[in-house]
Amino acid sequence: MKKYVLDLKVSALTRLGNQHLLIKCKPSEGNLPPMLPGQFAQLRIDTSAQAYLRRPISIHYVDEQKDEVWFLVQMKGEGTRSLASLATGDILNVVAPLGNGFTLPTSSSERVLLVGGGVGVAPLLYLGRKLREMGHEPTFLLGARSAQDLLQAEEYEALGTLYVTTEDGSRGEKGFVTQHSILQTERFSRICVCGPLPMMQAVARYAYSTGTPCEVSLENKMACGIGACLCCVEDIQEEGHVCVCKDGPVFNINQLKWQI
Amino acid sequence: MADLSVDIAGLRLKNPVMTASGTFGYGLEYQDFVSLEEIGGIIVKGTTLHPRQGNPYPRMAETAMGMLNCVGLQNKGVDYFCTHIYPEIRHIGTNMIVNVSGNSPEDYAECAARIDALDDIPAIELNISCPNVKHGGMAFGTTCEGAAGVVSAVRKAYSKTLIVKLSPNVTSITDIALAVQDAGADAVSLINTLMGMAIDIEKRKRILSIGTGGLSGPCVKPVALRMVYQVAHAVQIPVVGLGGISSAADAIEFLLAGASAIEIGTANFVDPTVTVKVARGIDAYLEKHGFSSVKEIIGLCE
């Protein structure tokens, strides 16, 4: 897919709790290029003395009618925090779309489970929308520390069935996503996961034990985002070191060398 | 438009802007963003005689105005380059230059000889300054004898333009530059990355997998500029300047300091179109100040 350097205009910026930002943007000229669920963008950070490199952020959602792309950002360090100073109408420079994206089912009878934890829920919204367009009813299983930390719940609910776990039990079932009862009572034909590494590995264990095809989205630290610098490598079966930014970020768990 | 062309020991560049090895892939990675033929030269990823997996992840740590990397020369080896990559890049309308590294003078020479046979590769950049490999790399580039030994071996095996990339992690970079000049280098490029370190204070561990890495980005520019100035005033062969260049103004500083051409590295990650912007910016500077050729400003700063 052709990649672009785009000047996007911020159309809305919303703080979600203390730690997260929802940035909606439109192209300042022309139209958005095609983007796939699971792909990401490299956001330019210009206002921080400490942060020099772009920040890889997944495509949260694409609203084709409005020609708008959404980014869900966890303000983790100085670079991502500086994005909070953006105002409506400001220009956000991004390189996109990058990476491969999740595999979409080919048959119509698939039951797809989308598992997300923390800010890792981000790419699953656009994925859920695409699945729905294809005639699937996506099932979301989202984990958060508490009800307040659960991001964009109503957006997911509007697209499919939503199950929630929180570590403090303030919403849904108490515990981690892998402890949710839905995993015991139902079977799925495919699982797509994005979240913290231990969570993805726990879901991968479940997928192995049930023989369910499973894809995970990795977030190795990267510099260029386009397969040039070879910093973000993952050591995968047969091929060795491949770039998460170019050959991922989505991998089938069978490709990975996780000790699980 | 001013005449932007420069000459590096017989290697003709349409403009003085090249890409630093390891930051621009094989050029193809950037073809969506820039027309590659607008770049004076593309120095592709470091290539070795045998395939290398490179160092384990993590290989990168961001720093104030820069980054550390310890990629460790991951590449599929020179034979793979010749059979699979060269056919894909040979017709790109600019100078495609291969960065060559190795574990011994014999390795370097053998790798260089195989690339000498490729018609559309007009030059190599000899990497005697990689800080991220245990054997070879910087080990050769930090003594005059080691550097001269590798360059002599390669000079016998390689007939085209030989650029030698120098390490800044030395007491006197001019001594090394003079040694490789005497050993047959056609030009020198500098600087490779500065050895550095970053520590995660929560985990109380060094961030990079091998503990140390090479520092690059705008933070190294003043050091690089000083070294380019010193070397350009000491050697008779052309100097290619690099280290933190991210704008036309940065590039012009290096040209004024005595560099005949420049390379852009880490800045490609932040702005994939920076190379062509810098080339156009140099042209605008020359026009503004009434210079008809970029050659007029090379080494103009006393």
Side-chain angles (χ1 to χ4, degrees), chain A residues 101-112:
Chain A
F102 288 101
T103 308
L104 295 169
T106 45
S107 74
S108 58
S109 56
E110 291 218 23
R111 293 201 67 212
V112 189

Side-chain angles (χ1 to χ4, degrees), chain A residues 168-189:
Chain A
D168 67 357
S170 54
R171 177 157 178 186
E173 294 186 15
K174 186 174 176 177
F176 296 116
V177 286
T178 39
Q179 296 165 323
H180 198 283
S181 57
I182 183 82
L183 297 180
Q184 305 311 318
T185 56
E186 296 198 35
R187 280 290 173 267
F188 298 89
S189 56

Side-chain angles (χ1 to χ4, degrees), chain A residues 52-55 221 241, chain B residues 32 53 57 59 62 270:
Chain A
Y52 174 63
L53 299 167
R54 287 172 183 264
R55 291 295 182 269
K221 285 250 185 329
H241 285 141
Chain B
D32 284 352
Q53 269 290 307
Y57 178 86
R59 294 175 169 185
E62 193 178 31
V270 178

Side-chain angles (χ1 to χ4, degrees), chain A:
Chain A
M1 278 175 83
K2 189 168 160 65
K3 303 179 274 285
Y4 299 83
V5 182
L6 300 167
D7 273 336
L8 302 179
K9 194 176 265 188
V10 176
S11 44
L13 186 97
T14 317
R15 277 187 100 110
L16 305 176
N18 293 327
Q19 271 197 63
H20 296 89
L21 281 178
L22 175 63
I23 308 171
K24 298 184 178 181
C25 345
K26 295 179 176 189
S28 55
E29 56 182 50
N31 294 101
L32 284 177
M35 302 184 195
L36 302 173
Q39 288 190 304
F40 67 100
Q42 283 268 60
L43 275 54
R44 183 140 182 191
I45 309 281
D46 272 339
T47 51
S48 163
Q50 292 297 312
Y52 174 63
L53 299 167
R54 287 172 183 264
R55 291 295 182 269
I57 304 291
S58 44
I59 309 284
H60 179 37
Y61 192 72
V62 179
D63 184 331
E64 286 89 352
Q65 263 78 50
K66 290 186 183 170
D67 203 31
E68 193 174 67
V69 58
W70 301 3
F71 300 107
L72 186 58
V73 180
Q74 182 182 17
M75 293 182 283
K76 207 171 179 178
E78 197 182 314
T80 43
R81 268 200 299 277
S82 73
L83 290 168
S85 64
L86 284 170
T88 307
D90 281 356
I91 296 295
L92 178 63
N93 183 272
V94 310
V95 181
L98 303 174
N100 59 356
F102 288 101
T103 308
L104 295 169
T106 45
S107 74
S108 58
S109 56
E110 291 218 23
R111 293 201 67 212
V112 189
L113 177 67
L114 284 60
V115 186
V119 76
V121 302
L124 305 181
L125 189 65
Y126 187 36
L127 176 60
R129 223 284 313 289
K130 283 279 178 197
L131 289 170
R132 208 179 162 86
E133 268 172 20
M134 296 171 70
H136 309 282
E137 169 87 11
T139 303
F140 297 99
L141 173 55
L142 307 183
R145 288 221 176 84
S146 71
Q148 279 166 348
D149 298 311
L150 185 67
L151 300 165
Q152 299 280 80
E154 59 292 346
E155 298 281 351
Y156 293 93
E157 255 173 333
L159 288 176
T161 314
L162 174 64
Y163 298 96
V164 171
T165 60
T166 50
E167 288 172 40
D168 67 357
S170 54
R171 177 157 178 186
E173 294 186 15
K174 186 174 176 177
F176 296 116
V177 286
T178 39
Q179 296 165 323
H180 198 283
S181 57
I182 183 82
L183 297 180
Q184 305 311 318
T185 56
E186 296 198 35
R187 280 290 173 267
F188 298 89
S189 56
R190 183 188 295 267
I191 306 177
C192 302
V193 198
C194 185
L197 190 61
M199 188 210 90
M200 291 198 288
Q201 292 182 330
V203 176
R205 269 194 294 277
Y206 166 82
Y208 275 125
S209 70
T210 55
T212 315
C214 179
E215 288 184 332
V216 297
S217 179
L218 304 184
E219 52 167 17
N220 294 10
K221 285 250 185 329
M222 59 183 67
C224 72
I226 57 172
C229 71
L230 311 186
C231 286
C232 63
V233 291
E234 181 74 15
D235 188 12
I236 70 164
Q237 304 287 354
E238 290 170 20
E239 289 176 68
H241 285 141
V242 299
C243 288
V244 165
C245 67
K246 180 167 147 276
D247 301 298
V250 177
F251 293 90
N252 187 294
I253 55 172
N254 293 326
Q255 290 176 277
L256 302 171
K257 292 184 179 174
W258 285 353
Q259 304 294 317
I260 53 175

Side-chain angles (χ1 to χ4, degrees), chain B residues 40-124:
Chain B
I42 294 174
I43 304 180
V44 306
K45 180 72 194 150
T47 302
T48 49
L49 186 58
H50 303 293
R52 288 182 56 94
Q53 269 290 307
N55 290 318
Y57 178 86
R59 294 175 169 185
M60 193 277 286
E62 193 178 31
T63 65
M65 291 313 280
M67 60 178 274
L68 292 158
N69 88 82
C70 65
V71 172
L73 295 174
Q74 177 179 331
N75 79 101
K76 292 185 174 171
V78 70
D79 288 338
Y80 184 90
F81 174 82
C82 293
T83 54
H84 289 79
I85 299 168
Y86 173 64
E88 299 287 312
I89 65 170
R90 62 181 297 187
H91 296 304
I92 294 174
T94 184
N95 294 297
M96 300 303 292
I97 298 166
V98 180
N99 179 283
V100 170
S101 203
N103 294 322
S104 67
E106 296 73 31
D107 276 11
Y108 276 96
E110 179 59 34
C111 190
R114 299 211 191 161
I115 292 165
D116 201 27
L118 306 176
D119 290 341
D120 293 316
I121 305 292
I124 59 172

